[in-house]
């Protein structure tokens, strides 16, 4: 989908929009324990995204979620071991999925937008009103903005979305790139700008309107 490299040299120029969106998305109260659905966007060979969302899903004493949505990814190049059948493979180590009812998995997705389209379809089908989005910190802003824009593009009201950055050190090596998370930040910034122009990622103004709604709720 993109010719933007994953690892891009740093650009220290000021960018108000990206800074503002990052601050405001990451300041959303962490009320994921009350959400109807837990959602994860896998990718980059990062097993920890799936491990942590499944750990939350299995903890029924704390989390009230009735659905677990596991978006697909580019399994042909993915370094994790969760190729289709996804749910069956999630029962194995290191994921250890045991609570099977109401687990929904997308077999494949080429990119974040395809993941978001599938999640929006499932939200409509299952009548989900609140969800928690589990993604690695460096990718969470773009994932959140892509999901928001997908709701906007299909002209249905966005549900209440809680961003959940998975707990992982930024020094951890990302399997797909062989670099740490710090090195992926500049590429994420470029992708957000490029995909905003394409209409696949929410703008600052759209995010402002959505967060106003979310905080009122």
């Amino acid at each position: 989908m993109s010719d933007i490299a994953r690892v891009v040299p740093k650009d220290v120029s000021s960018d108000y929009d990206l800074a503002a969106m990052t601050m405001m998305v990451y300041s959303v109260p962490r009320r994921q324990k009350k959400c109807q659905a837990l959602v994860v966007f896998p990718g980059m060979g990062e097993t920890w995204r799936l491990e942590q969302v499944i750990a939350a899903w299995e903890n029924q004493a704390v989390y009230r979620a009735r659905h677990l949505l596991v978006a697909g990814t580019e399994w042909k190049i993915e370094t994790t071991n969760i190729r289709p059948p996804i749910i069956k493979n999630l029962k194995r180590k290191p994921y250890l999925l045991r609570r099977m009812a109401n687990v929904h998995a997308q077999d494949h997705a080429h990119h974040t937008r395809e993941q978001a389209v599938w999640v929006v379809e499932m939200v409509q089908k299952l009548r989900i009103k609140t969800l928690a989005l589990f993604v690695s910190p460096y990718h969470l802003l773009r994932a959140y903005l892509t999901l928001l824009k997908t709701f906007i593009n299909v002209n249905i009201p966005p549900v209440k979305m809680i961003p959940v950055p998975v707990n992982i050190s930024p020094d951890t090596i990302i399997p797909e790139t062989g670099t740490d998370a710090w090195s992926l930040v500049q590429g994420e910034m470029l992708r957000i700008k490029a995909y905003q122009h394409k209409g696949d990622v929410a703008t600052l103004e759209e995010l402002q309107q959505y967060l106003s709604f979310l905080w009122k709720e």
Side-chain angles (χ1 to χ4, degrees):
M1 179 183 178
S2 171
D3 57 359
I4 299 173
R6 290 286 180 184
V7 181
V8 179
K10 294 179 182 177
D11 179 356
V12 296
S13 61
S14 175
D15 195 315
Y16 170 82
D17 284 10
L18 284 174
M21 289 189 293
T22 302
M23 292 176 187
M24 301 314 172
V25 167
Y26 281 69
S27 68
V28 171
R30 299 286 185 263
R31 295 183 178 174
Q32 62 267 28
K33 295 175 183 177
K34 298 182 179 180
C35 288
Q36 293 176 325
L38 305 183
V39 178
V40 60
F41 284 8
M44 303 301 289
E46 298 175 33
T47 58
W48 44 86
R49 300 188 195 183
L50 288 153
E51 289 176 59
Q52 292 187 30
V53 76
I54 288 173
W57 171 250
E58 297 289 345
N59 189 356
Q60 291 180 274
V62 175
Y63 286 81
R64 301 180 185 176
R66 298 198 297 269
H67 299 280
L68 172 62
L69 306 184
V70 180
T73 189
E74 192 72 82
W75 305 118
K76 293 181 181 179
I77 61 173
E78 179 67 74
T79 54
T80 56
N81 60 353
I82 43 172
R83 291 167 175 78
I86 308 302
I87 296 176
K88 180 179 178 180
N89 284 323
L90 288 177
K91 294 170 65 177
R92 304 171 180 170
K93 292 182 179 180
Y95 313 108
L96 299 178
L97 176 66
R98 296 290 179 265
R99 182 185 167 197
M100 307 301 294
N102 296 324
V103 177
H104 314 272
Q106 180 185 23
D107 279 348
H108 184 270
H110 289 97
H111 41 66
T112 306
R113 183 175 61 81
E114 285 191 1
Q115 293 177 321
V117 168
W118 177 79
V119 168
V120 169
E121 290 173 352
M122 295 303 296
V123 164
Q124 292 179 282
K125 178 181 178 180
L126 301 172
R127 299 182 180 180
I128 292 168
K129 301 299 182 183
T130 57
L131 65 84
L133 178 61
F134 286 67
V135 185
S136 296
Y138 71 87
H139 180 51
L140 181 55
L141 178 63
R142 180 160 66 91
Y144 192 90
L145 294 175
T146 303
L147 189 51
L148 173 59
K149 187 65 172 183
T150 304
F151 278 110
I152 294 171
N153 285 342
V154 298
N155 198 31
I156 63 173
V159 301
K160 301 171 189 175
M161 301 187 296
I162 304 300
V164 185
V166 300
N167 297 317
I168 192 73
S169 167
D171 295 329
T172 302
I173 298 301
I174 309 301
E176 292 281 320
T177 63
T179 61
D180 61 23
W182 294 103
S183 67
L184 301 181
V185 172
Q186 186 65 36
E188 286 294 304
M189 293 174 66
L190 294 177
R191 279 179 165 78
I192 288 172
K193 293 178 182 179
Y195 300 161
Q196 282 176 329
H197 287 299
K198 291 182 64 177
D200 294 338
V201 171
T203 64
L204 174 62
E205 292 73 19
E206 289 168 333
L207 178 65
Q208 287 175 320
Q209 293 176 9
Y210 174 71
L211 292 185
S212 292
F213 148 77
L214 190 62
W215 276 94
K216 288 176 183 177
E217 293 295 317

